[in-house]
Amino acid sequence: GQNIDQPTEMTATEGAIVQINCTYQTSGFNGLFWYQQHAGEAPTFLSYNVLDGLEEKGRFSSFLSRSKGYSYLLLKELQMKDSASYLCAVSTFPYNQGGKLIFGQGTELSVKP
Amino acid sequence: DSGVTQTPKHLITATGQRVTLRCSPRSGDLSVYWYQQSLDQGLQFLIQYYNGEERAKGNILERFSAQQFPDLHSELNLSSLELGDSALYFCASSVSVAGGRVNEQFFGPGTRLTVL
């Protein structure tokens, strides 16, 4: 089956660093995505990993270990506007057979002053 | 603004009715995906179209159907609606399924469906 796990909730302080973990067990793997979603709004793309290692994009970094079925999203210099749900998603099909994403339940991050 | 448009933004209807949700992908994107997001379920993949053809199917109910038209816009049809169909329905688009990598999906603003 397909299983993607992430913590339900996290709290962090403005200006701090927070790491949101994601573990996955899927039939096939073709990339892992992180999305940010504010309540009632559309998910917005943050980062993508297909090979092991760290991808850095400004205040956001994402890490992938395929052998461990593990990824994390690192958010630095937290701002109040970073309070949102963070969704881990895995693409399970080869690119030429589709590209659907399997999403985790999301981690609700609250940033406190 | 992702460039993906969805109409209507809100839809309120009664059980047993049929509705159509519409999505226009970003300019140049050939793939369209439909997702359902309810409070207790998270984002669930429904169906994908690529350049007019169905490419992948998720846990889409038989009461639901979709199509992608020659101009690449897509419609999701929901029939015999039940209370449990109340959810946010998102459309997403991506450049292509070809080209050697999985491309990120860009999500529209969603249609909030309420079935009374």
Side-chain angles (χ1 to χ4, degrees):
Chain A
Q2 321 278 30
N3 198 40
I4 299 177
D5 286 318
Q6 23 177 161
T8 306
E9 296 176 328
M10 296 184 72
T11 302
T13 305
E14 193 177 14
I17 299 173
V18 70
Q19 177 174 313
I20 302 174
N21 296 324
C22 170
T23 58
Y24 63 91
Q25 287 178 305
T26 57
S27 53
F29 176 86
N30 200 38
L32 189 141
F33 292 80
W34 284 95
Y35 282 82
Q36 180 193 60
Q37 186 179 27
H38 288 96
E41 298 182 8
T44 54
F45 169 76
L46 290 178
S47 70
Y48 164 71
N49 294 73
V50 64
L51 299 175
D52 290 354
L54 190 68
E55 293 282 341
E56 297 190 77
K57 227 178 173 185
R59 294 191 300 115
F60 298 90
S61 304
S62 58
F63 171 83
L64 174 67
S65 169
R66 288 172 296 170
S67 62
K68 295 181 179 175
Y70 167 71
S71 173
Y72 67 73
L73 179 70
L74 197 69
L75 292 79
K76 304 173 190 172
E77 300 168 14
L78 280 172
Q79 303 174 9
M80 299 298 289
K81 67 178 182 179
D82 297 329
S83 293
S85 184
Y86 290 84
L87 309 174
C88 172
V90 172
S91 176
T92 59
F93 284 139
Y95 68 88
N96 60 351
Q97 294 179 24
K100 74 176 191 183
L101 294 177
I102 307 296
F103 281 87
Q105 288 289 98
T107 298
E108 192 67 38
L109 174 66
S110 297
V111 180
K112 310 284 186 192
Chain B
D1 185 352
S2 67
V4 179
T5 60
Q6 288 186 250
T7 56
K9 196 170 176 59
H10 300 277
L11 200 48
I12 301 175
T13 188
T15 54
Q17 295 299 305
R18 173 189 167 96
V19 297
T20 297
L21 313 184
R22 182 188 168 104
C23 166
S24 292
R26 293 187 321 156
S27 176
D29 285 0
L30 298 178
S31 280
V32 169
Y33 310 78
W34 286 97
Y35 293 87
Q36 178 192 57
Q37 187 174 40
S38 51
L39 281 173
D40 59 343
Q41 287 265 11
L43 266 169
Q44 301 286 320
F45 170 74
L46 295 178
I47 197 164
Q48 180 210 353
Y49 280 83
Y50 172 69
N51 205 19
E53 294 185 4
E54 182 185 304
R55 186 57 65 96
K57 230 172 180 176
N59 297 325
I60 186 168
L61 300 171
E62 285 193 14
R63 301 183 286 109
F64 295 2
S65 65
Q67 54 185 323
Q68 186 179 28
F69 295 86
D71 67 353
L72 300 178
H73 91 271
S74 177
E75 292 181 356
L76 179 67
N77 301 296
L78 316 176
S79 60
S80 303
L81 284 168
E82 302 175 359
L83 296 177
D85 297 328
S86 295
L88 259 173
Y89 290 85
F90 287 106
C91 165
S93 72
S94 68
V95 172
S96 152
V97 290
R101 62 154 278 171
V102 173
N103 296 289
E104 59 267 34
Q105 296 178 22
F106 294 89
F107 284 75
T111 294
R112 182 172 292 283
L113 174 66
T114 303
V115 182
L116 301 175

